[in-house]
Amino acid sequence: MNQYTISALVSNKSGVLVRVAALFARRGYNIESLSVCKTENDTLSRMTIVLNGDDYILGQMMKQMDKLIDVKKIQQVEEDAVCRELLLAKVKTDASTRSQILEISQIFRAKVVDVSPEATILELTGKPSKLDGFVTMLMPYGVMELARTGVTAIGRGKSCIKDETDYKEKI
Amino acid sequence: MKKIGADILIECLKEQGVTTVFGYPGGTVLDIYDALYRDGTIEHVITSHEQGAAHAADGWARVTGKTGVVIATSGPGATNLVTGIATAYMDSVPLVAITGNVGANFLGRDSFQEIDIFGVTLPITKHNYIVKDVNELAGVVREAFRIANSGRRGPVLIDILKNVQSAEADYEPQKPLPARRKSVPARDLEAVAKALAAAQRPLIMAGGGVIASEASKELVALAEKLDAPVVSTLMGLGAFPASHPLFMGMMGMHGTATAAKLCLESDCIVALGARFSDRVALNRDKFAQGKTVIHIDIDEAELDKNVTATYKVLGDIKEALSTLIPMLKEKKRPFSETAKKYRAEEKAKDTAPELGHRILIEAAKAAPKDVIVVTDVGQHQMWTAQYFPIEKPRTLCTSGGLGTMGYGLGAAIGAAKATGKHVVLVTGDGCFNMNLNELSTAVTEELPITILLMNNHALGMVRQWQKLFYGNRFSQTNVRKKTDYVKFAESFGATGLVIEKDEDIVPALTTAFALNTPVVVDCRISNDENVLPMIKPGATYDTIITNWEEK
C-alpha cells in the first residue's frame, strides 16, 4: 500500500465536495485526508487529497475525478513538493509538566497559542510526519483534543497545476 | 428580451433542435407545462409513469443519436426517473432530464413533494444541476446538452426551482455549442498500425462506442483491410452488419461459440469503444493474457480499467479509424478463413431447438427491412442478440449495462416516435409486467409496435441460474400469474395474438407486422428453455457450455 498526494482545481460552487466524496465512496477509494481551500482565482477551489492504494487505484481515481465536470485540473503531487499540514493540540498541563511541554514545543518549533492552569494549546505546521512525531511526544502528558487540517501541497519550481490540460478539453 | 424561466427553458430546448419531449406533469412543473402549451411547437408525449417516459427518451436517443429529453415533477415524479437515468448512464445514452422542485421559499423544509433529486442522481448522471437563479437557467440548459452529447455521452439532470420558472430574466437566442470532438494524435496510431501489421490473428471487438461515434463505415473498412473477423458486445450489435462474412456474432457470457474460440486463438484483440465488462471479459485477468490488446476509447478511465491494454488510444473512434486505416496495408490472413469455417460449422449445428428461437428467426424474416428491435432483459434478450440479425447501427435498443427489466416498452415507444418505423419489442412475461402500463401510451400514440411476449411463466434467466448454481430450487421464479394477455391487450385498445406452436408463428407474425398498431403476441413457450452457449461468471472462454448436459 502506497500513499499518494493529489492536487485538483475544482469549481468553487456548492455540491462539488459531495460530488468528489460520492465518487470516492462509490469506487471504494481509501482517503487519508482531504482539504479544500480558496485559490488566487475566485471561481476555483483547490483540493488536496491523500490517498492510500496502489498505482492502479491512483490512475483510476485521477481519471474518474478528471471526468467530473467541476474538476478542472488534476495532478499528482511530486515527492519533492512542499507538503504542509497545520495541527492544533490541547494538552493537559499542570505546574509540574508545563516546562517539559514547552521544551518539546521548542524542539518542534510549535507555537503556544493558549495557556490556562490545566491546559495548553499548541500550534504546529509542517510535514505530516513531523506532526505525527510531535503528537507522539505529547501523548504521555494527555492530549485532550487534537485537530489537523489535512495536507495541503504545492509543487516546486515554476510549473503550475494551471498548466495541466483539462480532460474535458482533451477529448 | 425579458422572458420567464419556463419560457427560457422552452426556447433553449428549441435552440437545441428538440422537437419531442416525454414526461408527466405535476405541481412544480406547472409553469413549464404552461410554457409548452403556449408555445405549441414541441410535441409532448405523456406516458403512464415517469419511468416509462425516461426509457422513451432513452429509446429516442439511441435510435436518433440526438439527446432525448424527459420532464417530471418534483418528489415522486423525479424519483420515478431514477431507473431510466441510471439505464442511460450505464449505456452512455445522451439524455437531459428536467425536473421541477419546490420554490426557494420551501426548499430544505421537507415540503410537499420535495426531494433532493440532485443528491439522488449524483452517481448516475454525467453531471447535474439545481437551478436557483433564473439568470443562470439558459446557460445551464445549453451546457447540459453539450455535456450530454460530448465525449462519452450520458444523462444530465437539471432540477429547476418552481420560483425560477416564473421569474423573469433576459434571454438572447444562441446557436447550440458544438459537441466537443478532438482528433486523435497520429503518432498514437502509428504504433497501433505497426502492431496490426505484425498481428497474425487479429480479432476486432466492437462495442457500443462504435455506434455512438457513428463509425460503422470505418469499422467495415478496417475489418476488410485487415481481413479480420469481428465480434461484438451486446451494446455493439448493429455497428457491423450481421450479414457480413467477417461477422462472427456476439461475444461474452452468451456469445457464439465461434466468438469464444476466436478470442482464445487470436493474438491481437482490437477493442473499439468497449469496456471489457464482466459479462464480456468474464475473467478480466485471463481474458487477454499473452495477447496484444489495442484499446481505443473516448473515456480515458476505461483504458486499463478492466483489461490492461498494450496500446491505448484516447479519442473518438471515427476520428481514430479514419486516421488509422490509410496507415494499414491490405493483407489476407488465414485466420479469417478459420473464423468463417468455425461460424459455418456452428450455424450448421444450430437447430434452433427452442420455440422462442424459431419465433425470433421468423420474426427477423417477416419484419419490415428497416425494423427497429427493442428488448427487455433476460433470456429473450440473449435470444434476440443471437437469432435476430442486426444489420445497421441504431436499430437495436437494449439495456446492456444496467440490465433494466421493464426498459423495453418505454424504449419502444421512444424509438417508434422518433423514427415512425415499425418496432418489434421482444420481452418476457417478467419484464412486461414491470411496465405494461405503457401499452396505453403506445395505443394513444398509435405506434406500430409488435410486442413478442416470450411468456414462459418464469423468470427464465434467474431460473436458469438456479438450475446451474442453486440445485433446481426455483425460489420465486415460477410466475403463477393468470393474466390473459390477449384480453389484456384488447382492453388497452391493442390487438392480442397467440403463438403456441410452430404453425402459429408465421400467421401471427404476418398479421402483427401488417397492422402498424400495437400488437401483443402472447408467445407461450416452455418454462424450461435455456440460453446457450454460456460461459459461467468469472470463468475463462475455454469453459464455454454449448450443450446443457455439459454443465
Side-chain angles (χ1 to χ4, degrees):
Chain A
M1 191 90 108
N2 298 324
Q3 199 161 70
Y4 305 94
T5 308
I6 293 156
S7 286
L9 287 182
V10 303
S11 304
N12 177 18
K13 49 185 176 189
S14 67
V16 179
L17 182 59
V18 64
R19 265 180 221 287
V20 173
L23 175 69
F24 296 160
R26 179 161 76 93
R27 304 263 176 197
Y29 303 139
N30 187 1
I31 298 302
E32 178 77 16
S33 79
L34 169 69
S35 76
V36 192
C37 60
K38 287 185 175 179
T39 66
E40 74 284 1
N41 179 339
D42 280 346
T43 65
L44 296 174
S45 308
R46 187 182 181 105
M47 276 188 189
T48 310
I49 301 153
V50 179
L51 164 82
N52 291 325
D54 53 24
D55 284 348
Y56 171 79
I57 291 176
L58 171 73
Q60 268 296 306
M61 185 180 125
M62 288 188 60
K63 289 174 190 172
Q64 295 290 358
M65 259 188 81
D66 214 356
K67 279 163 65 176
L68 296 177
I69 305 298
D70 286 330
V71 173
K72 302 300 176 192
K73 303 287 168 79
I74 185 162
Q75 80 179 179
Q76 188 188 352
V77 175
E78 287 163 15
E79 288 208 351
D80 69 340
V82 181
C83 293
R84 292 291 181 269
E85 187 177 2
L86 180 121
L87 168 150
L88 292 173
K90 186 183 282 184
V91 187
K92 209 166 151 190
T93 323
D94 55 32
S96 66
T97 57
R98 186 166 294 119
S99 63
Q100 295 167 29
I101 290 168
L102 291 179
E103 194 181 325
I104 294 167
S105 301
Q106 269 176 1
I107 296 169
F108 281 88
R109 292 186 196 157
K111 261 197 272 180
V112 177
V113 288
D114 183 66
V115 183
S116 64
E118 285 152 1
T120 308
I121 300 180
L122 302 166
E123 177 193 320
L124 178 63
T125 307
K127 282 188 192 170
S129 56
K130 178 179 171 185
L131 269 54
D132 292 342
F134 186 52
V135 173
T136 310
M137 291 305 290
L138 293 176
M139 276 299 179
Y141 301 95
V143 175
M144 299 158 74
E145 211 173 326
L146 186 68
R148 292 173 67 154
T149 57
V151 177
T152 190
I154 215 160
R156 291 186 193 269
K158 75 172 169 66
S159 68
C160 289
I161 188 171
K162 281 187 286 195
D163 308 337
E164 295 286 308
T165 50
D166 182 353
Y167 169 74
K168 271 81 68 187
E169 302 301 327
K170 206 155 59 181
I171 54 155
Chain B
M1 74 195 103
K2 288 262 184 223
K3 278 186 181 295
I4 61 164
D7 288 330
I8 292 173
L9 172 67
I10 303 303
E11 289 305 322
C12 289
L13 293 180
K14 291 199 286 189
E15 282 176 13
Q16 301 293 330
V18 174
T19 54
T20 308
V21 297
F22 300 86
Y24 207 98
T28 60
V29 284
L30 274 163
D31 293 285
I32 295 174
Y33 275 82
D34 188 58
L36 275 171
Y37 185 96
R38 284 185 281 103
D39 176 75
T41 63
I42 295 180
E43 186 186 14
H44 179 280
V45 178
I46 180 167
T47 52
S48 302
H49 185 282
E50 287 91 348
Q51 186 187 348
H55 292 323
D58 169 305
W60 166 282
R62 287 189 207 228
V63 297
T64 58
K66 294 181 197 152
T67 304
V69 180
V70 58
I71 304 174
T73 193
S74 60
T79 55
N80 280 344
L81 294 178
V82 167
T83 304
I85 294 171
T87 305
Y89 182 71
M90 290 292 274
D91 287 346
S92 312
V93 176
L95 198 71
V96 169
I98 297 159
T99 52
N101 209 332
V102 298
N105 213 359
F106 298 94
L107 199 71
R109 293 170 189 270
D110 300 317
S111 309
F112 178 66
Q113 294 193 332
E114 182 194 352
I115 205 81
D116 173 21
I117 198 64
F118 174 86
V120 170
T121 56
L122 261 177
I124 55 164
T125 49
K126 216 178 145 185
H127 195 57
N128 61 3
Y129 302 89
I130 177 161
V131 184
K132 296 179 179 173
D133 176 357
V134 68
N135 295 302
E136 289 174 4
L137 181 61
V140 163
V141 177
R142 289 165 186 150
E143 195 182 63
F145 273 87
R146 190 182 201 196
I147 291 170
N149 215 353
S150 290
R152 179 175 182 173
R153 290 153 179 80
V156 178
L157 178 128
I158 311 172
D159 193 29
I160 309 171
L161 302 196
K162 187 167 164 73
N163 58 296
V164 169
Q165 298 167 25
S166 52
E168 275 196 338
D170 274 321
Y171 167 79
E172 288 305 326
Q174 256 185 37
K175 283 205 176 119
L177 300 165
R180 293 194 191 92
R181 228 182 203 204
K182 215 172 165 188
S183 57
V184 184
R187 65 186 140 75
D188 286 5
L189 292 163
E190 277 159 16
V192 170
K194 269 190 200 156
L196 282 172
Q200 299 291 315
R201 300 177 302 282
L203 175 68
I204 298 172
M205 167 180 166
V210 179
I211 297 171
S213 91
E214 312 280 356
S216 289
K217 220 177 75 196
E218 289 75 10
L219 172 62
V220 173
L222 176 75
E224 289 176 353
K225 204 156 183 189
L226 289 175
D227 192 24
V230 177
V231 293
S232 165
T233 67
L234 178 64
M235 293 303 299
L237 288 175
F240 195 78
S243 59
H244 195 287
L246 285 170
F247 188 63
M248 302 298 146
M250 186 172 70
M251 65 185 304
M253 181 174 275
H254 295 293
T256 62
T258 307
K261 263 194 215 165
L262 298 176
C263 284
L264 289 167
E265 290 176 17
S266 77
D267 63 347
C268 174
I269 290 185
V270 188
L272 305 173
R275 59 190 174 88
F276 300 99
S277 85
D278 56 307
R279 286 296 193 266
V280 167
L282 296 145
N283 184 325
R284 60 172 185 258
D285 298 324
K286 294 198 179 137
F287 173 75
Q289 219 171 29
K291 299 180 199 303
T292 304
V293 177
I294 297 164
H295 193 179
I296 308 182
D297 203 283
I298 200 159
D299 181 356
E300 193 170 14
E302 289 304 339
L303 304 173
D304 287 347
K305 187 180 84 177
N306 290 333
V307 166
T308 308
T310 330
Y311 300 92
K312 307 166 238 297
V313 179
L314 172 67
D316 182 75
I317 291 164
K318 193 184 180 76
E319 299 275 353
L321 293 189
S322 307
T323 315
L324 176 66
I325 292 166
M327 297 177 179
L328 300 169
K329 280 205 184 86
E330 200 158 338
K331 188 170 160 187
K332 288 285 161 213
R333 288 179 166 85
F335 187 53
S336 72
E337 295 311 315
T338 315
K340 286 175 197 163
K341 193 177 96 214
Y342 288 163
R343 189 74 185 121
E345 284 168 4
E346 188 182 1
K347 276 188 174 165
K349 264 200 281 181
D350 186 357
T351 54
E354 318 279 15
L355 180 58
H357 299 159
R358 298 191 290 276
I359 293 170
L360 286 166
I361 291 170
E362 291 304 325
K365 286 185 204 156
K369 272 270 167 293
D370 57 354
V371 74
I372 309 265
V373 182
V374 180
T375 81
D376 258 306
V377 170
Q379 288 187 312
H380 67 268
Q381 179 188 29
M382 293 298 108
W383 292 334
T384 308
Q386 293 168 339
Y387 287 98
F388 205 117
I390 308 294
E391 285 296 317
K392 289 195 193 123
R394 304 202 178 283
T395 60
L396 172 69
C397 300
T398 191
S399 170
L402 195 66
T404 309
M405 286 178 71
Y407 164 78
L409 190 47
I413 289 166
K417 198 75 207 172
T419 59
K421 290 176 185 165
H422 205 110
V423 172
V424 57
L425 164 64
V426 187
T427 182
D429 52 331
C431 290
F432 190 58
N433 271 287
M434 284 203 175
N435 277 330
L436 46 67
N437 48 7
E438 298 304 343
L439 186 61
S440 61
T441 313
V443 170
T444 310
E445 296 290 326
E446 300 173 353
L447 298 173
I449 301 176
T450 295
I451 301 169
L452 300 179
L453 172 59
M454 297 293 176
N455 179 8
N456 59 354
H457 284 94
L459 306 179
M461 188 58 97
V462 182
R463 196 174 183 279
Q464 178 170 338
W465 281 48
Q466 287 171 337
K467 280 195 270 186
L468 270 178
F469 305 116
Y470 293 87
N472 289 332
R473 294 183 297 279
F474 298 126
S475 179
Q476 300 300 319
T477 52
N478 290 323
V479 177
R480 291 172 299 165
K481 290 185 173 66
K482 298 202 165 55
T483 313
D484 179 333
Y485 290 103
V486 173
K487 280 190 190 152
F488 162 79
E490 284 165 357
S491 73
F492 269 59
T495 308
L497 300 169
V498 176
I499 295 177
E500 260 177 320
K501 48 190 186 305
D502 281 277
E503 297 79 78
D504 302 338
I505 299 177
V506 173
L509 292 175
T510 313
T511 311
F513 287 123
L515 270 173
N516 276 321
T517 50
V519 182
V520 178
V521 187
D522 182 4
C523 306
R524 297 177 188 164
I525 61 174
S526 147
N527 68 351
D528 212 32
E529 299 192 4
N530 296 313
V531 179
L532 288 173
M534 177 171 183
I535 306 170
K536 290 182 185 177
T540 48
Y541 268 59
D542 55 340
T543 62
I544 189 165
I545 303 165
T546 51
N547 181 328
W548 195 250
E549 307 313 316
E550 294 166 15
K551 71 182 161 61

